[in-house]
Amino acid sequence: MSGVILNPYWWDAAGPPVSTADQVLSTCDVAIVGAGYTGLSAARTLAEAGLSVQVFDKQRVGEGASSRNGGILSGNLRIGFGAAIRKYGLEQAVAIYREGIAARQFLAATIRDNAIDCDFQMNGRFTGALNLDDFGAMQREVDLLNTHLDLGAQAIAKPDLPDETGSTAYSGGLLRPDIGMFHPAKFLRGLATLATDAGATLHGETAVTGIARKGEGFAVATARGTVTVRHVVMATNGYTDASDRWLRRRLVPITSRMVVTEEISDNLMNHLLPRRRAMGENRNLYRYYRPSPDGKRIMLGSREPALSRDPRAAAEHVRAGLVDIFPELSDVAITHSWSGYVAFSREELPRIFERDGIHYACAYCGSGTVWAHWLGTKVALRILEKDGDSAFDGAPKMIPFFDGRPWFLPAAMAWYGLKDRQKVRRPR
Ligand SMILES: Cc1cc2nc3c(=O)[nH]c(=O)nc-3n(C[C@H](O)[C@H](O)[C@H](O)COP(=O)(O)OP(=O)(O)OC[C@H]3O[C@@H](n4cnc5c(N)ncnc54)[C@H](O)[C@@H]3O)c2cc1C
């Protein structure tokens, strides 16, 4: 691991845009905190409607999760559809899943209509079942998805697995044809260009340090001066800091790490990922993987090991997961590894809400490529008093004994890791 590059592979093609040299204006209609997909989607929509918008990011523009993710466009919810029906009732479960369908279609339309060059491919996602019981549950999920949502999902039985994967780790799988992939950092750049073309100003390396009520609006303190605005959008998700202590007590930041292999032969790729799809597993500690956009490398992401301090050791741990799936990769080198933060709410659902006049969209629970673009746009529509309805309306609940530092994660990850090992040991 000594030669591994500790920056996102994606930045080789599209690094986060450097900060603009623009002056911070002392007044504007809307200040947006965070320049990832959420903040930029909101900025674009508001600027296109004619409002003056400044976006502030304490890092470079989009340097948070939005230029680091795996680029799998699942619009996933942690809760499966069957479980959602049991928990919320059929009507509400259909509403939240239908919103996912609309959000995926909206993202595809944004890419297509604006000709965003981001290696977008719509070739489905396969999720492997770790044992026969889990495969049975997947078959029932497929029936529900197709009956109520007409998704064209398929259950893939063990004899048909070689068409989907070279891995022997699975007892079957679930195929969702409506899920695609993109190059996350290229999409980020495309979205930033749409926002600036519409008139929004992006200030990288400009932290927002505090927000106070001022008359009908707010005074937003930034590292480069105070701005008086009518509206504020908080779009900080997994990077929320002490400038918003209220939100910090409601979002658990979890570190997600990715590794990328060196280029492998076409023959090996044809064997391991014959359909070149996005891939996942039904673990509690989720693992997801995919081919690189050029189809030459495999990229895998999973939770960073708890208490990890050394990025190379963490990369080695994540690489071991890849070899666990594909032993054929045991001698293949890792070229890049990096991490970033995702945010979970206690209810494990995305959230959009207004509090004390400030608008929020967050808590995508590790699946924000689709949700952040969607709810960032919805937040803007709410400010414009247009159609901002969402099934995810509501503030995240407070997490008891939590101040933003997730002290309980090592124990939680140990518990989920144990449950995953039990899954693997069940009949396959
Ligand atoms: C390694 C990794 C892999 C992932 N893989 C996938 C995947 O395959 N599919 C998927 O759907 N999702 C994935 N995700 C999740 C997805 O990337 C995020 O949910 C999504 O990008 C969130 O977008 P956002 O704009 O809300 O937040 P971010 O892109 O994280 O942006 C938040 C920004 O807020 C800024 N900020 C915070 N505080 C302040 C402040 N006080 N002042 C100014 N700026 C501030 C930060 O600097 C940051 O840039 C992954 C995430 C990671 C980290």
Side-chain angles (χ1 to χ4, degrees):
M1 284 284 161
S2 59
V4 70
I5 298 167
L6 296 174
N7 271 336
Y9 168 73
W10 309 117
W11 294 3
D12 290 2
V18 290
S19 32
T20 62
D22 292 315
Q23 228 190 327
V24 172
L25 301 176
S26 58
T27 58
C28 65
D29 293 323
V30 190
I32 297 178
V33 191
Y37 302 146
T38 304
L40 294 175
S41 301
R44 174 209 170 187
T45 309
L46 291 162
E48 282 176 352
L51 273 65
S52 55
V53 179
Q54 296 189 87
V55 185
F56 300 95
D57 202 300
K58 63 182 177 182
Q59 308 181 85
R60 285 177 292 168
V61 168
E63 193 171 340
S66 295
S67 64
R68 299 170 174 270
N69 60 72
I72 297 177
L73 307 178
S74 55
N76 218 23
L77 295 169
R78 288 276 296 170
I79 188 162
F81 186 51
I85 294 172
R86 289 191 293 280
K87 184 165 179 184
Y88 303 117
L90 182 61
E91 194 180 334
Q92 181 64 5
V94 166
I96 64 176
Y97 263 71
R98 273 210 196 291
E99 193 159 327
I101 296 170
R104 277 188 292 279
Q105 290 171 347
F106 177 56
L107 180 63
T110 295
I111 294 168
R112 188 188 56 235
D113 297 349
N114 299 287
I116 297 179
D117 169 18
C118 62
D119 304 315
F120 175 58
Q121 303 165 53
M122 186 49 99
N123 45 1
R125 185 193 64 189
F126 172 89
T127 306
L130 297 179
N131 59 52
L132 282 172
D133 287 348
D134 284 0
F135 181 54
M138 279 182 179
Q139 288 173 301
R140 292 190 289 281
E141 183 85 353
V142 163
D143 285 345
L144 289 171
L145 288 170
N146 292 343
T147 304
H148 298 289
L149 299 164
D150 198 20
L151 275 185
Q154 290 174 47
I156 309 292
K158 198 159 187 176
D160 298 324
L161 283 180
D163 284 346
E164 291 294 334
T165 173
S167 178
T168 56
Y170 308 128
S171 303
L174 190 162
L175 177 61
R176 285 274 302 271
D178 57 323
I179 289 173
M181 293 183 282
F182 67 12
H183 187 301
K186 287 187 183 175
F187 178 70
L188 187 279
R189 285 207 156 196
L191 207 49
T193 303
L194 291 183
T196 50
D197 284 354
T201 310
L202 313 183
H203 301 292
E205 294 165 338
T206 310
V208 168
T209 51
I211 299 167
R213 266 276 178 205
K214 186 176 178 191
E216 289 287 285
F218 300 90
V220 177
T222 83
R224 291 165 59 212
T226 298
V227 188
T228 302
V229 299
R230 178 70 189 83
H231 305 281
V232 175
V233 175
M234 290 300 293
T236 52
N237 202 44
Y239 290 78
T240 302
D241 61 21
S243 67
D244 192 335
R245 290 180 195 281
W246 180 87
L247 185 60
R248 242 162 88 94
R249 300 189 66 188
R250 285 157 175 82
L251 290 183
V252 181
I254 294 186
T255 312
S256 192
R257 175 165 288 279
M258 297 208 68
V259 294
V260 180
T261 68
E262 63 184 329
E263 292 188 5
I264 61 174
S265 70
D266 283 351
N267 275 348
L268 185 54
M269 187 64 93
N270 286 337
H271 171 59
L272 302 181
L273 294 178
R275 305 278 182 166
R276 307 291 194 272
R277 294 194 207 281
M279 309 289 284
E281 298 183 320
N282 73 327
R283 286 175 187 268
N284 296 290
L285 298 178
Y286 191 59
R287 295 199 299 216
Y288 49 96
Y289 51 106
R290 57 167 286 179
S292 55
D294 63 8
K296 295 184 174 176
R297 302 161 184 260
I298 296 183
M299 341 187 45
L300 176 133
S302 70
R303 301 287 168 249
E304 179 108 315
L307 303 175
S308 169
R309 295 259 180 272
D310 173 11
R312 291 175 205 281
E316 182 54 49
H317 177 91
V318 174
R319 188 191 83 96
L322 180 61
V323 173
D324 181 37
I325 298 166
F326 295 129
E328 294 88 338
L329 296 177
S330 59
D331 292 330
V332 169
I334 296 300
T335 60
H336 298 66
S337 178
W338 67 94
S339 65
Y341 297 111
V342 299
F344 278 65
S345 60
R346 193 167 138 197
E347 37 304 21
E348 296 195 320
L349 287 175
R351 303 276 72 182
I352 177 170
F353 59 99
E354 186 183 337
R355 176 181 177 265
D356 292 344
I358 298 178
H359 292 267
Y360 292 80
C362 56
Y364 311 119
C365 304
S367 291
T369 51
V370 169
W371 291 123
H373 171 249
W374 175 256
L375 291 184
T377 306
K378 287 271 179 193
V379 153
L381 293 175
R382 286 180 176 199
I383 290 172
L384 297 169
E385 297 182 1
K386 292 189 176 160
D387 174 24
D389 286 352
S390 170
F392 299 101
D393 199 27
K397 290 186 187 137
M398 196 185 80
I399 300 162
F401 311 111
F402 174 63
D403 65 358
R405 282 167 295 191
W407 52 268
F408 42 80
L409 273 188
M413 285 182 66
W415 168 246
Y416 285 128
L418 176 70
K419 285 176 72 164
D420 284 341
R421 286 194 291 283
Q422 286 169 345
K423 268 178 183 270
V424 173
R425 282 200 290 271
R426 283 198 211 122
R428 293 176 40 205

